[in-house]
Amino acid sequence: MASVKRNIIANYLGSGWSALMGLVFVPLYIHYLGMEAYGLIGVFAILQAWLSLLDMGMTPTLNREMARFTAGAHTAQSILDLLRSLEQVCFAIAAGIVVAIWLSASWLSTHWLQAEKLPVEEVAQAIAIIGLVVALRFIESLYRGAILGLQEQVWLSAAGAGLATLRWGGAALVLMWVSPGIDAFFIWQGLVSALTIFSFYFVVHRHMPKTDAAARFSWIQLHGIRRFAAGMMATTLLSLLLMQVDKIILSRLLSLEMFGYYTLAGTVAAVLYQLTGPITQAYYPRFTELLTTGDIPGLINLYHQAAQLVSVIIIPAALMLAFFSESILLLWTGDALLARNAAPLLALLVLGTMLNGLMHIPYMLTLAYAWPGYAVRQNIVAVILLVPAILWATPRYGAIGAAWIWFILNAGYVLLGMHYLHRHLLKHEKWNWYSRDIGLPAWVVALVAASSMLHPDDLSAAGELAWLLASGTAALLGSAFAAPSLRARLRLAISH
């Protein structure tokens, strides 16, 4: 458990700081770029997400194979050949991404995006630069997967925090002191990505064994990983459809300015994944270990502990954001119009993301049991329902309709998907998951958040911030004491 705790702490410090850097400068970006140009950052996020399909499962596969290498499942030559093979495939795909986006930049700027203030030529040029940045981020992900597989999570967290500061803080300085244009923003992103690739490449190859024969491209090594890679690619495709189809449709139907509001709300909501990611990364290997050794009682105990930890971390943050979305956006950006337009979107997106995050620990359980078919089946059903729903709701209700669909989809996941999962795995633990792991913390936080809305109306900005911080702290502590596993640990810590 010591390694789990160490990795959770390192992951939280790294991802928490990275998330902070990704958010704290957003008001500056909007100030210097304008909401329409900020919408292009949303387009960048969409392209990056969808082009990850071209990864074809390489990143999670390399993660797994590096972990197997550390456990002795690979020879020195085989892991070197596999790494070299995936590197060459990855670099070739990245080159194709650059060319494809450069060729389509003009069409996207005139026939897809609805720019009203930015010149079409400026939008096309920005999209061409985005293609280069997306290709570099694509290469980054391969090496990040290798570093995770080598179990260098502490180093990766520290490096990621530093690079995030350089990426987002540096972009703000570029806009302030060099050029307040969207091109300058993306050029800086590309430079930081190039530095990231160099750093990650050095660390990965430093951990590789020395051999007499040089590493070479090997069809044999690629053939050996094809099944796992194909399964991960299918899961990635379905997940992307669920996570990105709303953004694709909205980028076509809304003005770039309105899409910017949706992008802003989605960016804030996505921070919740930064809260769950460190926990799932740390607990998943332990689930697999306990299952391998046949320690089912230990697995059940750890499963509830992890689920409660996720609830205590994510529910207070989500409900406070949902209850006070407009106040938080106004305090953060200082822009009343922006806060008014984005607040309803943020409330719904953050609630849907919270429900999605609550399922991450059960999903890790399915992977530990080598049951990837669960996620595939569930996501196929969800995509069949989601795409028509988005196509129906968006033209009628705009961005708020898409946000409602996201919330309803994830509510169905929790109510139906988790019921199905617990019929097959840990059959007698379903109601404990619903009531103790999720229900108790959620009720306490909801009561605290609802009570916090009864504050005086004439608070200053500083007073409003202090009230929100006090309410959030009360919600966090209340949820921790409501979670049985964590309550026992807190009492033990207090008694000592």
Side-chain angles (χ1 to χ4, degrees), residues 60-76 78-79 82 145-146 148-151 208 221 224-226 228 284 288:
T61 301
L62 187 57
N63 182 336
R64 175 175 178 265
E65 295 305 314
M66 285 294 179
R68 295 180 69 235
F69 162 67
T70 61
H74 273 284
T75 65
S78 69
I79 193 63
L82 177 61
L148 285 171
L150 292 167
Q151 301 183 50
M208 290 296 96
Q221 293 300 326
I225 62 171
R226 71 190 189 285
F228 185 83
Y284 168 53
T288 303

Side-chain angles (χ1 to χ4, degrees), residues 10 37 77 82 108 146 165 244 258 293 299 303 305 308 317 332 354 365 377 424 444 461 484:
Q77 191 63 49
L82 177 61
L108 288 171
T165 304
Q244 298 293 329
M258 196 61 210
T293 59
L299 175 64
Y303 172 68
Q305 180 189 117
Q308 289 173 34
W332 177 38
M354 177 194 75
L365 185 69
R377 294 187 189 95
H424 294 79
V444 170

Side-chain angles (χ1 to χ4, degrees), residues 105-118:
S106 178
W107 183 87
L108 288 171
S109 64
T110 56
H111 293 86
W112 188 267
L113 299 176
Q114 309 296 318
E116 297 174 349
K117 301 173 184 177
L118 291 175

Side-chain angles (χ1 to χ4, degrees), residues 227-256:
R227 291 184 181 275
F228 185 83
M232 294 308 301
M233 183 179 178
T235 301
T236 300
L237 170 61
L238 292 167
S239 297
L240 279 172
L241 283 171
L242 293 174
M243 303 293 288
Q244 298 293 329
V245 71
D246 58 334
K247 300 175 183 63
I248 293 174
I249 295 172
L250 291 173
S251 71
R252 176 66 181 87
L253 298 179
L254 300 178
S255 68
L256 260 180

Side-chain angles (χ1 to χ4, degrees), residues 158-387:
L163 289 165
T165 304
L166 187 62
R167 183 185 300 278
W168 303 115
L173 294 178
V174 167
L175 294 176
M176 293 168 61
W177 294 344
V178 180
S179 172
I182 192 65
D183 288 357
F185 175 87
F186 285 120
I187 289 171
W188 178 257
Q189 296 298 309
L191 291 173
V192 176
S193 289
L195 175 62
T196 303
I197 291 170
F198 176 80
S199 303
F200 287 4
Y201 176 93
F202 174 78
V203 170
V204 170
H205 282 270
R206 188 185 66 189
H207 284 79
M208 290 296 96
K210 305 298 181 184
T211 58
D212 294 331
R216 61 186 183 275
F217 184 88
S218 172
W219 284 112
I220 294 175
Q221 293 300 326
L222 294 178
H223 186 267
I225 62 171
R226 71 190 189 285
R227 291 184 181 275
F228 185 83
M232 294 308 301
M233 183 179 178
T235 301
T236 300
L237 170 61
L238 292 167
S239 297
L240 279 172
L241 283 171
L242 293 174
M243 303 293 288
Q244 298 293 329
V245 71
D246 58 334
K247 300 175 183 63
I248 293 174
I249 295 172
L250 291 173
S251 71
R252 176 66 181 87
L253 298 179
L254 300 178
S255 68
L256 260 180
E257 182 177 358
M258 196 61 210
F259 182 63
Y261 290 124
Y262 193 87
T263 297
L264 176 66
T267 299
V268 177
V271 171
L272 295 181
Y273 290 127
Q274 302 287 341
L275 300 179
T276 60
I279 300 174
T280 56
Q281 282 183 353
Y283 274 95
Y284 168 53
R286 183 65 175 155
F287 285 176
T288 303
E289 180 182 347
L290 290 172
L291 187 60
T292 302
T293 59
D295 186 1
I296 301 303
L299 175 64
I300 291 173
N301 180 65
L302 198 69
Y303 172 68
H304 290 302
Q305 180 189 117
Q308 289 173 34
L309 182 57
V310 166
S311 296
V312 167
I313 293 296
I314 197 174
I315 293 175
L319 293 189
M320 291 300 294
L321 279 169
F323 275 73
F324 300 98
S325 55
E326 186 167 351
S327 297
I328 290 172
L329 286 171
L330 181 59
L331 285 170
W332 177 38
T333 66
D335 188 327
L337 177 63
L338 183 154
R340 187 164 56 251
N341 285 332
L345 300 172
L346 176 59
L348 288 169
L349 291 177
V350 81
L351 289 174
T353 304
M354 177 194 75
L355 294 172
N356 190 276
L358 292 175
M359 297 182 294
H360 285 189
I361 290 299
Y363 173 63
M364 291 300 108
L365 185 69
T366 67
L367 295 184
Y369 271 92
W371 187 28
Y374 167 77
V376 172
R377 294 187 189 95
Q378 178 175 260
N379 288 345
I380 287 174
V381 172
V383 167
I384 292 172
L385 297 175
L386 177 67
V387 174

